[in-house]
Amino acid sequence: MKLPARPGTPQWLALAWLLVVTAIGWHQWQFWQAPRLDTDVFALLPQDEQASVAQRAIRQLGEQGERRVVIMLGAADWRAAQTAAAAFDQSLAASRAGLRRTADGAVAAQALEFYRPWRDALLTDAQRQALRNADVPALTARALERLHGLNTGQPTAWLADPLGLWPAWWSQHAGLTAARPRDGLLWVPDPDGQRDWAVLLYETQGPAFRFDGARRWADALDEAGRMAQTRVDADGAAAPITVLRAGVPLHAEAGAVQGQREMNTIGWGSLVAVIALVWWTFRALRPVALIAMSLLVGCAAALSVTVWVFGQVHLLTLVFGASLIGVAEDFGIHYFTSRLASPDTPRWPLMKHLLPGLLLALLTSVLGYLVLAVVPFPGLRQMAVFSSVGLIAAFLTAVCWFPALDGGSLPGSRMGRAVAASLARWPVLEGRRLWALLALLGILCAWGASRLRVNDDLRQLQSSPPGLIQAQIDVGRLLQMPSPTQFFVVQGATPEAVLQREEALRARLQAAKLGPLTLSAVSDWVPSRARQAENRQMTAHVEQQVLDQIGHALGEDLRRPAFHPGPLELPTWLASPACAAACSQWLGPLGDNGYASVVLIRGLATRAQAEALRVFGLTQAEGVHWVDRASDMSELLGRFRGTMAWILVAGHLLVWAAMALRFGRTAWRAWLPTVLASLGCLAVLGALGEPFQLFHLLALMLLLGMGVDYGIFLLEHQGKGQGHAWLAVLLGALSTGLSFGLLALSATPALHAFGLTLLLGLALVCLLAPLFRQRQHLSGSLPFPQQT
């Protein structure tokens, strides 16, 4: 586009910024062809505060199930559950929603053949104990019973396992899940015996994480559930079926749907509010178009730089960034209200006159956002970069383009003139009245702050629908699935050392008797070499004794067949289909830190059990560490909450120092309203019973960056110019407050805390800022041109 020159406007500045914006537009076109977005809640959390091995474990365990969807259909009897499962699967296949049914039968058969050569090296703990105290005559009698019971006339298979150890080993490992094969399906009995559950396993086809905002999987599952109920009703079932669904893809889709809905609500709601306020004030399309353009450029630049710095952008960053619309318009509003106050002043000299105040406002706002980057939360750092870059880009758009593109006069509105003139009737607090107000606010703040209660629970980051979360819990309980965020990490110098430590951990946990808990470890499937050698020695010794007695009775020379001469090795197991059950638990080499694996816990259902395991983990030998990701992150949030409180104090001092360089001794007038608003905000939160958390403090840091802008604008303009500054303050406060007010409606508790805190804080700053302005000797009314 061609930028018209205005008298005194440096056209090269406008053209240079046009080149930058063109590059941003080109990047935006490329980015949205294949957007790199993230919805993982743990990606928001600190990564350098936890051992890298725990992070790797969380990531690897998550990757195993990132495409899996588990469906459980419960009915009063197994026949109804079968009917429901058949109808459900048929409907889902017809929907073409991208969910493919998986079958584990072939994998189980392949695993059986894989382990067969090492049958003699695989024993359960109970079998090891029985062979140590072997009653050979009793074992011989049972072996003869098995031989006659087979009745095949071919003792070869019997010779390979005369004691029947092999089926018992497989039976124990099949017990690692509650699901059992039945009539071609997986079946789980309800613990209370009231229902039978059919289990269907699916995998997503195509991208596991989609961000188009469509409920493709959820809608297909809803329809399949209705079809299943219809089919069961047609068969005369007496009770409705229950459908439970679980899986990472379902949470990711729900997060994407919610995120897009909130982005639309916050982003478009803020944009409409800003446009309405600008039109209501200036009664002209030019300010609306230019301010909207600055917001568009700011958001686009913010997204491009964020992707360039981090490689991708988190969905919550976009939701939070949508509130940027309510902040970045302040520069344009301040420019156009100044145009109303001085309609005859050339555009560029007017902008040059406004630059010091605008730069100071930009500095304090960006400082408020960048303090978020001090906290090692990747998600918060993204939000800080996104918002800071967006503000800077909106500022540069206003400075470089508005003087060049702004032409003609602004009629203004009667309401705008009335608001500007109202500043003259707003009191200025000095002397005793000032101290009385401070004392009253101090009492109210102390009362409200005393009612604050702290909550650092990690679940404040969780935004999945409650029904989906409860279904995930129910599926885990019925299938007896281990928690993917609570486990032991076992490390050792070699793979053999890791496997031996796993085996020792199992023995110590069984001796501790902490309840009905079971372990799931790599050593369940690949025992250590030492364990395999001991198993082989016991098996060969006892089995040969039994065969010798049976052979003597039968008059035959019975010899055990040869098994694989070497032990089962980890690389061999990892390269086979047999590792599907637990390969994600082997973390492998850790550089100079040896090797590591994950030991999962099944049956963990209460906080008391988790605390007992934590204490148990503290007593373990070197190389064994208990990891409770949710608890660790909650503790971390609490520590950062304390740290951020001191950073907030330091930020206030830093901002006051920056303003003192500009305003000298009067800097307190621009700073004190934000201090009082922050304290008042804490009091209101306490009175409302809102649980206080780290994200309230981070919002107060943003309040510091944005709230002082109102005092700055009022101090920057003295005499007749102060009225238009008051109009700009009110417009900015209304648009920003509405923006973050919409953010307070977010279903994500962290974003809700941000929005509610800033909504309260900005309203208080707006009420307090004019009370601390300097007393003027000139009228506060503005020389607006009369409307025609």
Side-chain angles (χ1 to χ4, degrees):
M1 65 179 177
K2 180 175 176 54
L3 296 172
R6 293 285 172 187
T9 301
Q11 192 173 22
W12 66 269
L13 194 62
L15 292 174
W17 184 237
L18 176 61
L19 293 176
V20 175
V21 173
T22 301
I24 292 172
W26 175 78
H27 176 267
Q28 287 293 298
W29 181 83
Q30 283 195 321
F31 174 80
W32 289 108
Q33 300 299 311
R36 297 187 296 278
L37 303 176
D38 187 13
T39 61
D40 183 11
V41 169
F42 286 107
L44 297 171
L45 301 177
Q47 302 299 314
D48 54 350
E49 288 289 328
Q50 296 291 315
S52 60
V53 63
Q55 298 171 16
R56 181 170 174 178
I58 292 286
R59 182 175 63 253
Q60 194 159 305
L61 292 173
E63 289 174 352
Q64 182 188 33
E66 70 177 9
R67 291 184 177 275
R68 175 166 292 186
V69 174
V70 180
I71 303 296
M72 298 188 68
L73 298 109
D77 58 78
W78 176 239
R79 181 178 175 277
Q82 282 181 287
T83 301
F88 190 97
D89 188 53
Q90 183 180 6
S91 174
L92 201 57
S95 70
R96 298 185 179 180
L99 291 172
R100 179 176 61 87
R101 177 86 177 274
T102 61
D104 296 334
V107 175
Q110 292 173 348
L112 180 66
E113 289 304 314
F114 170 80
Y115 280 111
R116 196 179 299 280
W118 291 280
R119 196 280 305 167
D120 62 330
L122 305 175
L123 295 175
T124 67
D125 290 339
Q127 289 172 338
R128 285 168 55 84
Q129 185 64 29
L131 292 180
R132 284 197 187 97
N133 307 308
D135 183 349
V136 176
L139 292 176
T140 300
R142 285 201 293 269
L144 280 170
E145 290 177 2
R146 291 189 67 252
L147 174 61
H148 296 308
L150 290 174
N151 195 28
T152 61
Q154 298 180 1
T156 304
W158 176 85
L159 277 175
D161 185 20
L163 302 181
L165 302 175
W166 184 231
W169 186 85
W170 271 108
S171 177
Q172 176 173 298
H173 285 67
L176 295 178
T177 176
R180 296 288 184 273
R182 183 176 179 181
D183 299 327
L185 292 170
L186 290 175
W187 163 71
V188 175
D190 200 276
D192 59 12
Q194 300 298 315
R195 303 181 77 78
D196 287 291
W197 295 88
V199 183
L200 302 176
L201 303 179
Y202 295 92
E203 283 190 354
T204 60
Q205 303 299 296
F209 301 98
R210 298 175 295 104
F211 303 93
D212 54 8
R215 298 179 74 253
R216 182 175 59 182
W217 296 327
D219 288 345
L221 293 175
D222 288 343
E223 178 61 24
R226 286 191 290 269
M227 292 297 296
Q229 183 64 65
T230 301
R231 185 75 59 83
V232 171
D233 291 342
D235 285 355
I241 63 170
T242 302
V243 181
L244 300 178
R245 60 183 75 172
V248 174
L250 302 183
H251 290 273
E253 182 181 70
V257 171
Q258 176 184 295
Q260 186 178 71
R261 181 174 62 249
E262 291 182 355
M263 278 192 296
N264 289 335
T265 300
I266 296 168
W268 289 109
S270 300
L271 184 59
V272 170
V274 169
I275 291 175
L277 285 171
V278 172
W279 171 257
W280 169 77
T281 303
F282 303 110
R283 296 294 191 204
L285 291 177
R286 188 173 61 261
V288 173
L290 291 180
I291 290 177
M293 179 183 63
S294 70
L295 298 178
L296 179 63
V297 171
C299 291
L303 179 59
S304 294
V305 173
T306 302
V307 172
W308 177 66
V309 172
F310 296 97
Q312 61 181 3
V313 61
H314 199 281
L315 191 63
L316 288 183
T317 300
L318 294 182
V319 176
F320 181 81
S323 64
L324 181 67
I325 293 174
V327 183
E329 91 291 347
D330 285 354
F331 308 116
I333 287 177
H334 196 57
Y335 169 81
F336 282 108
T337 54
S338 298
R339 282 267 288 109
L340 284 176
S342 304
D344 298 327
T345 304
R347 310 299 188 261
W348 181 246
L350 176 63
M351 181 61 77
K352 288 177 64 177
H353 173 72
L354 297 175
L355 266 180
L358 293 179
L359 278 172
L360 185 57
L362 174 68
L363 175 64
T364 56
S365 296
V366 170
L367 180 64
Y369 279 116
L370 288 182
V371 171
L372 298 181
V374 174
V375 185
F377 281 56
L380 293 181
R381 285 177 172 171
Q382 275 197 19
M383 294 176 188
V385 171
F386 187 99
S387 300
S388 299
V389 172
L391 279 178
I392 293 172
F395 169 82
L396 291 175
T397 303
V399 171
C400 297
W401 285 358
F402 281 19
L405 296 175
D406 180 27
S409 62
L410 294 178
S413 67
R414 182 177 302 174
M415 185 63 70
R417 292 192 295 275
V419 169
S422 69
L423 184 64
R425 296 185 293 274
W426 202 274
V428 177
L429 295 182
E430 294 177 337
R432 293 181 179 179
R433 290 194 300 174
L434 174 60
W435 289 109
L437 175 66
L438 294 179
L440 177 60
L441 290 177
I443 294 173
L444 293 176
C445 292
W447 172 80
S450 67
R451 299 173 61 87
L452 281 176
R453 55 187 180 90
V454 174
N455 179 18
D456 297 313
D457 196 331
L458 178 66
R459 285 175 292 183
Q460 62 194 311
L461 292 175
Q462 180 58 260
S463 60
S464 292
L468 186 57
I469 295 175
Q470 185 59 50
Q472 186 88 29
I473 295 173
D474 292 341
V475 169
R477 175 180 56 83
L478 290 169
L479 292 180
Q480 300 177 13
M481 297 169 60
S483 169
T485 60
Q486 295 169 301
F487 50 80
F488 286 101
V489 170
V490 180
Q491 294 179 256
T494 63
E496 175 69 8
V498 173
L499 296 176
Q500 290 186 17
R501 286 178 174 175
E502 284 187 0
E503 293 162 351
L505 173 64
R506 177 188 299 278
R508 289 193 294 269
L509 188 61
Q510 289 176 346
K513 297 180 180 180
L514 298 180
L517 302 176
T518 59
L519 301 186
S520 174
V522 174
S523 55
D524 291 333
W525 305 93
V526 185
S528 65
R529 292 180 183 177
R531 176 67 61 95
Q532 290 185 55
E534 187 178 356
N535 289 348
R536 279 185 155 170
Q537 183 179 5
M538 289 190 296
T539 304
H541 176 68
V542 176
E543 285 185 347
Q544 193 56 55
Q545 284 184 294
V546 170
L547 290 176
D548 287 343
Q549 290 194 12
I550 294 176
H552 179 72
L554 297 178
E556 298 183 17
D557 184 17
L558 299 179
R559 295 291 176 186
R560 298 169 69 245
F563 293 97
H564 196 287
L568 174 58
E569 301 283 1
L570 266 172
T572 304
W573 176 74
L574 290 170
S576 73
C579 80
C583 59
S584 61
Q585 294 177 234
W586 180 249
L587 304 182
L590 303 176
D592 296 333
N593 296 322
Y595 296 78
S597 69
V598 173
V599 176
L600 298 174
I601 309 296
R602 298 179 186 274
L604 186 58
T606 65
R607 291 182 179 271
Q609 288 177 315
E611 178 61 21
L613 285 172
R614 186 190 69 82
V615 174
F616 174 80
L618 295 176
T619 64
Q620 298 310 296
E622 181 182 1
V624 177
H625 309 284
W626 172 248
V627 175
D628 187 337
R629 185 66 165 169
S631 177
D632 292 343
M633 289 298 100
S634 295
E635 289 183 12
L636 190 62
L637 291 175
R639 292 203 305 272
F640 278 124
R641 178 175 44 79
T643 302
M644 281 304 301
W646 290 107
I647 292 177
L648 178 60
V649 173
H652 270 277
L653 296 177
L654 185 61
V655 167
W656 177 82
M659 291 191 296
L661 294 176
R662 172 69 177 166
F663 301 117
R665 293 182 179 180
T666 60
W668 67 272
R669 295 181 178 275
W671 170 69
L672 189 57
T674 303
V675 176
L676 296 177
S678 298
L679 296 175
C681 191
L682 293 177
V684 175
L685 291 174
L688 293 176
E690 282 282 318
F692 190 71
Q693 44 165 289
L694 170 66
F695 298 95
H696 289 105
L697 276 173
L698 297 176
L700 291 178
M701 183 60 72
L702 296 187
L703 177 63
L704 170 62
M706 292 183 290
V708 295
D709 289 355
Y710 303 154
I712 290 172
F713 290 156
L714 291 176
L715 285 183
E716 275 289 331
H717 299 274
Q718 303 299 323
K720 294 183 178 181
Q722 202 171 44
H724 85 272
W726 172 236
L727 176 61
V729 165
L730 281 179
L731 288 177
L734 284 173
S735 57
T736 305
L738 179 59
S739 174
F740 283 103
L742 292 173
L743 193 63
L745 300 177
S746 173
T748 303
L751 295 181
H752 167 76
F754 266 110
L756 180 61
T757 306
L758 285 169
L759 177 63
L760 294 173
L762 290 170
L764 290 174
V765 171
C766 189
L767 292 174
L768 292 170
L771 300 177
F772 293 91
R773 73 189 190 280
Q774 283 185 300
R775 186 178 296 277
Q776 301 298 310
H777 301 291
L778 298 175
S779 173
S781 61
L782 295 179
F784 286 112
Q786 296 297 315
Q787 283 185 295
T788 59

